[in-house]
């Protein structure tokens, strides 16, 4: 399995931003205002993944007191990391599309000012989830073998 490439995540984010912006251009005036902390759930997921990454890394490096990692656990962690990084990139794109749409129309729609704040919270949370997922994926690497020097 290959490591997640930033190019793939960037492509996902750009496509999501374009699609979200298009949908908002067509239907923004019919949508209800977003809750200010709508994207903060992604931040909670990011925190859990960072904790899991540090815990898993200690187990992979076989630090004292850490249980060994079962191969299936590591494989599931990599799958979680890959899915989360794609989700983070996708949601970063959606929140970016919202931000790009509401900045120019914030005086035309009463909800746009509130949605501007929600978009910023969502973008920060999505970026944090993507970073946490990439860190978890990195922590799943096996430690490099020593070069024979002890």
């Amino acid at each position: 399995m290959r490591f997640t490439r930033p190019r793939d995540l960037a492509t996902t984010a750009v496509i999501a931003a374009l699609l979200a912006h298009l949908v908002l251009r067509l239907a923004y005036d019919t949508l209800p205002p977003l809750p200010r902390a709508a994207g903060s759930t992604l931040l909670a997921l990011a925190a859990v993944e960072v904790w899991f990454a540090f815990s898993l890394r200690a187990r992979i490096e076989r630090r004292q007191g850490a249980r060994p990692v079962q191969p299936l656990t590591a494989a599931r962690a990599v799958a979680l990391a890959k899915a989360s990084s794609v989700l983070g990139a996708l949601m970063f794109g959606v929140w970016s599309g919202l931000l790009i749409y509401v900045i120019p129309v914030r005086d035309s729609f009463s909800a746009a000012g509130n949605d501007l704040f929600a978009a910023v919270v969502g973008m920060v949370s999505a970026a944090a989830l993507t970073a946490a997922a990439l860190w978890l994926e990195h922590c799943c690497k096996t430690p490099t073998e020593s070069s024979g020097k002890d």
Side-chain angles (χ1 to χ4, degrees):
M1 188 180 289
R2 294 181 323 196
F3 285 98
T4 304
R5 294 183 300 204
R7 174 182 70 203
D8 297 338
L9 297 177
T11 302
T12 301
V14 168
I15 291 170
L18 291 173
L19 289 174
H21 186 74
L22 177 64
V23 167
L24 291 170
R25 289 180 62 99
L26 298 173
Y28 185 74
D29 56 344
T30 63
L31 298 174
L34 290 168
R36 294 181 73 103
S40 61
T41 305
L42 300 175
L43 194 59
L45 290 172
V48 169
E49 287 197 20
V50 166
W51 172 80
F52 184 45
F54 281 111
S55 171
L56 191 63
R57 191 69 189 157
R59 292 174 63 192
I60 288 173
E61 291 177 347
R62 298 177 191 241
R63 293 186 189 149
Q64 186 170 353
R67 297 178 318 193
V69 177
Q70 299 297 321
L72 189 56
T73 301
R76 286 178 179 163
V78 170
L80 173 66
K82 286 188 163 294
S84 295
S85 64
V86 171
L87 173 65
L90 181 71
M91 291 310 298
F92 185 84
V94 169
W95 289 115
S96 297
L98 175 65
L99 184 68
I100 291 167
Y101 180 79
V102 297
I103 286 177
V105 300
R106 66 181 178 267
D107 295 330
S108 304
F109 296 102
S110 60
N114 183 61
D115 290 349
L116 179 72
F117 183 81
V120 171
V121 168
M123 286 176 66
V124 169
S125 299
L129 177 60
T130 303
L134 291 174
W135 175 246
L136 176 58
E137 188 176 343
H138 172 77
C139 287
C140 290
K141 285 186 196 178
T142 55
T144 56
E145 297 286 320
S146 62
S147 58
K149 298 176 184 174
D150 287 342

